[in-house]
Amino acid sequence: MRTLVLQGSSMGVIYEVTNWVWWALLRFRTPGIVVLRFLVHLCVLTSLLLFMERLSMAVVLLYVKISGKRSKKYELESMKRDLEINYEHPKVLVQIPMYNEREVYKLSIGAACNLSWPSDRLVVQVLDDSTNLILRELVQLECQRWIDKGINVKYENRNNRNGYKAGALREGLEKQYVADCEFVAIFDADFQPESDFLWRTIPYLLLNCELALVQARWKFVNADECLMTRLQEMSLDYHFTVEQEVGSSTCSFFGFNGTAGVWRVRAINDAGGWKDRTTVEDMDLAVRASLKGWKFVYAGDIHVKNELPSTFKAYRFQQHRWSCGPANLFRKMVREILHCERVSIWKKIHVIYCFFLVRKIVAHFVTFFFYCMVIPLTLMVPQVYLPKIIAIYIPAAITVLNGGCTPRSVHLIVFWILFENVMSLHRSKAAIIGLLEGNRVNEWVVTEKLGNTIKQKSKRRRICGLCGAETSRIVKFRFGERVYLLEILMGLFLLYCANHNFCYGRDLFFIYLLLQAGAFFIIGFGYVGTFVS
């Protein structure tokens, strides 16, 4: 087959392009090879660091499951009886920060107001930073509806968005009516806790005065909406199943997810309160509280329903914030962590090396620069040798360790690899911006939620179909919203490397390169996720 292709006209084009590239690089051939060899060694080292970190977490998780040394579970029913007999329910504040959440505000407010807890010991605080005045009125009406039912709901809004979410949470805690609240539960606008959420989390805090945070797991209500949400579920399942569980079991520290958790108010104040110096105010608070000696518990058996971003535009903004913020926080806090005297050396190593360096920086760089840049380049430079154990087997092992936490989606592992490699382009760029404090370091774009929009539109479409009505509508194609130049350029680069390897190489790497180039093209032309007009 190769012979037939080599005899075709495409062979001549590839040959001419290759000659032109080599002619352009002829004067820089020797230093270029030296630089590429250095990059290969650097990527090999970081890849091994990532592999060892993933393997160590897998070993710890296996030990925790076998030994049964998970976080202690308390007898909830007996504690509930004691609280009811002695009437010693602690006062709990529930904060719901939101910003123009038209599609989901009813769901979140309703779920919070339905929490099973004495009404006189519960305060539901809706922190509405919405700029849409009509939407503000709608949220106020929803709050009033629950107030009429006897729920203590407080509606708060600001004329500015200073500090974004952190500013809203900070100002919410400063209200006079929350002065006697001992604990605060935080839910983003698309999160819907079960009615027994407080009964399953507050006991941890009551029986351990050193505990600052109880973090619950996320349950995705729209994971089956499209392929992109299925792939997101695979990545987040690994985060909750492995990273959070291991952090909780080994040194009682992990990054607060910003929602679906209960904090001890005293711990928040002791850590210095909410700060808006980065776009990951939740992680910032968690690290500062940990340095003060507070402990965290991850309750993986408690699930809180929420929504995954199903449009690629929303997902890109979310991943930029999630990648840029931790890198920037690492830059700001590394010295503070090193000089902290209240925590052990082991915990410092865990926070700096495992939590920040490997997971938040090295993982993104390895995925993009090694798998999408360095390996394709080495295939065109025979003077640079890359062992197969590094190029194939270690990445395969890392993939198995990452993607095996969602058994129902194992058959999608190839799509997950390709999608994660494409997203590593944006994550690496965001991490660099965070480390260097670039222009977009403090960019905050609220992740768009659709709530029941898709279901409602599908239902209306079915009804119209039964009525014989015409439901098709032409959606205008907008170049800036559907075409992404960086992905297309990366797709062209990988396509050229694949063709070169197919014609001149003696291995089958061109198969991977063609698949990866196709993934960049598909996402580059906007054919991923859902589309809502």
Side-chain angles (χ1 to χ4, degrees):
M1 181 177 178
R2 285 178 187 261
T3 305
L4 294 175
V5 174
L6 292 177
Q7 292 175 352
S9 59
S10 62
M11 170 59 189
V13 175
I14 296 172
Y15 182 78
E16 291 297 331
V17 173
T18 302
N19 282 343
W20 181 84
V21 172
W22 277 108
W23 177 84
L25 298 177
L26 187 60
R27 296 176 60 185
F28 306 98
R29 180 177 180 181
T30 301
I33 291 175
V34 172
V35 171
L36 186 57
R37 284 176 176 170
F38 170 76
L39 292 176
V40 167
H41 286 90
L42 180 62
C43 289
V44 167
L45 174 62
T46 53
S47 183
L48 288 173
L49 292 177
L50 181 61
F51 171 70
M52 294 304 297
E53 196 265 346
R54 294 291 190 267
L55 183 62
S56 63
M57 285 200 297
V59 172
V60 171
L61 183 64
L62 183 62
Y63 170 75
V64 168
K65 288 188 175 182
I66 293 177
S67 63
K69 293 185 177 181
R70 288 194 170 196
S71 303
K72 183 180 178 182
K73 303 296 186 294
Y74 301 107
E75 186 60 43
L76 302 181
E77 290 299 325
S78 62
M79 173 161 284
K80 183 177 180 180
R81 287 195 298 269
D82 292 340
L83 288 174
E84 291 176 344
I85 292 174
N86 300 321
Y87 200 71
E88 295 179 351
H89 298 85
K91 193 170 183 179
V92 179
L93 172 68
V94 178
Q95 289 185 313
I96 310 175
M98 59 176 60
Y99 176 73
N100 293 335
E101 308 285 0
R102 179 183 295 274
E103 307 297 342
V104 294
Y105 74 91
K106 285 186 178 181
L107 299 176
S108 58
I109 295 175
C113 292
N114 280 318
L115 287 172
S116 176
W117 200 256
S119 59
D120 61 326
R121 309 300 294 170
L122 180 69
V123 180
V124 178
Q125 187 182 65
V126 179
L127 304 169
D128 187 13
D129 280 356
S130 299
T131 55
N132 188 317
L133 297 181
I134 296 178
L135 182 56
R136 277 193 178 189
E137 293 180 3
L138 293 175
V139 175
Q140 282 184 286
L141 288 174
E142 182 66 14
C143 293
Q144 186 60 48
R145 189 170 72 87
W146 286 100
I147 292 174
D148 295 340
K149 293 182 179 181
I151 307 298
N152 187 6
V153 181
K154 302 293 184 180
Y155 175 82
E156 304 289 348
N157 62 66
R158 304 187 297 168
N159 295 324
N160 58 71
R161 290 195 69 205
N162 294 340
Y164 300 110
K165 179 180 175 180
L169 294 172
R170 180 175 59 243
E171 293 186 22
L173 288 177
E174 294 174 353
K175 301 299 180 182
Q176 187 175 0
Y177 57 82
V178 302
D180 57 342
C181 289
E182 190 174 348
F183 307 112
V184 53
I186 302 171
F187 301 103
D188 283 351
D190 59 316
F191 278 72
Q192 306 161 49
E194 298 294 335
S195 60
D196 62 346
F197 176 84
L198 294 179
W199 285 112
R200 301 181 66 186
T201 53
I202 296 298
Y204 289 100
L205 296 161
L206 291 176
L207 296 180
N208 187 351
C209 61
E210 296 181 348
L211 207 60
L213 167 68
V214 179
Q215 174 70 62
R217 180 168 180 161
W218 297 1
K219 179 181 179 181
F220 313 110
V221 297
N222 65 331
D224 294 325
E225 189 168 328
C226 61
L227 180 60
M228 192 182 77
T229 53
R230 287 288 292 272
L231 302 181
Q232 289 180 66
E233 180 190 37
M234 295 176 68
S235 299
L236 289 171
D237 276 352
Y238 175 81
H239 168 69
F240 285 107
T241 303
V242 180
E243 293 179 348
Q244 300 294 73
E245 186 68 60
V246 170
S248 177
S249 303
T250 54
C251 58
S252 300
F253 169 76
F254 47 82
F256 175 45
N257 295 121
T259 179
V262 183
W263 276 89
R264 190 185 302 271
V265 175
R266 184 160 57 90
I268 296 177
N269 296 331
D270 184 43
W274 292 100
K275 294 185 178 181
D276 55 4
R277 55 181 175 174
T278 68
T279 57
V280 284
E281 73 294 323
D282 45 11
M283 187 181 296
D284 188 351
L285 177 62
V287 174
R288 286 185 282 112
S290 178
L291 295 181
K292 290 289 185 178
W294 292 97
K295 298 180 179 180
F296 305 158
V297 161
Y298 171 65
D301 59 326
I302 305 175
H303 294 184
V304 180
K305 294 186 292 184
N306 73 298
E307 179 184 331
L308 292 165
S310 56
T311 63
F312 185 63
K313 181 180 179 181
Y315 185 60
R316 282 185 67 190
F317 282 125
Q318 181 200 69
Q319 293 303 298
H320 174 84
R321 189 173 74 249
W322 286 7
S323 302
C324 179
N328 188 238
L329 181 63
F330 175 68
R331 171 192 171 110
K332 294 179 182 297
M333 293 203 66
V334 61
R335 291 183 181 179
E336 183 179 347
I337 297 171
L338 288 172
H339 291 96
C340 181
E341 298 180 354
R342 297 189 62 175
V343 298
S344 64
I345 296 178
W346 157 245
K347 196 164 189 176
K348 292 180 182 179
I349 294 174
H350 173 77
V351 175
I352 293 176
Y353 175 75
C354 297
F355 182 75
F356 275 116
L357 189 62
V358 177
R359 300 179 196 172
K360 310 301 181 185
I361 299 174
V362 169
H364 304 327
F365 288 171
V366 167
T367 307
F368 176 65
F369 290 108
F370 190 32
Y371 302 153
C372 299
M373 295 290 292
V374 174
I375 290 180
L377 286 173
T378 58
L379 298 178
M380 297 192 297
V381 184
Q383 292 86 350
V384 180
Y385 173 69
L386 183 63
K388 286 187 176 181
I389 188 174
I390 301 296
I392 299 177
Y393 302 121
I394 287 183
I398 294 175
T399 299
V400 171
L401 293 173
N402 278 267
C405 295
T406 312
R408 79 185 191 99
S409 299
V410 170
H411 62 289
L412 301 175
I413 194 72
V414 174
F415 297 100
W416 179 79
I417 295 171
L418 300 176
F419 181 72
E420 285 294 298
N421 287 350
V422 175
M423 291 309 303
S424 67
L425 165 65
H426 300 286
R427 292 169 182 152
S428 300
K429 182 178 69 172
I432 293 173
I433 292 174
L435 290 173
L436 302 180
E437 292 198 332
N439 292 332
R440 296 179 59 196
V441 67
N442 290 320
E443 181 185 70
W444 183 289
V445 179
V446 176
T447 305
E448 180 186 14
K449 292 100 176 178
L450 301 180
N452 294 324
T453 302
I454 297 295
K455 294 180 181 179
Q456 291 171 356
K457 290 189 175 183
S458 299
K459 184 177 180 180
R460 287 198 299 265
R461 190 177 298 112
R462 288 194 298 268
I463 294 174
C464 292
L466 291 173
C467 297
E470 180 63 40
T471 60
S472 61
R473 179 168 51 177
I474 298 176
V475 180
K476 293 183 179 179
F477 181 84
R478 297 182 180 179
F479 186 85
E481 295 183 1
R482 287 286 302 275
V483 176
Y484 305 98
L485 186 59
L486 281 178
E487 283 86 344
I488 295 175
L489 292 177
M490 278 300 304
L492 292 172
F493 166 72
L494 291 170
L495 181 61
Y496 173 76
C497 294
N499 288 330
H500 183 278
N501 182 253
F502 179 79
C503 296
Y504 300 107
R506 296 181 179 179
D507 49 49
L508 300 176
F509 264 108
F510 66 89
I511 297 176
Y512 159 72
L513 295 177
L514 285 174
L515 290 173
Q516 191 62 68
F520 272 101
F521 283 132
I522 290 172
I523 295 179
F525 287 105
Y527 291 102
V528 65
T530 60
F531 301 98
V532 180
S533 58

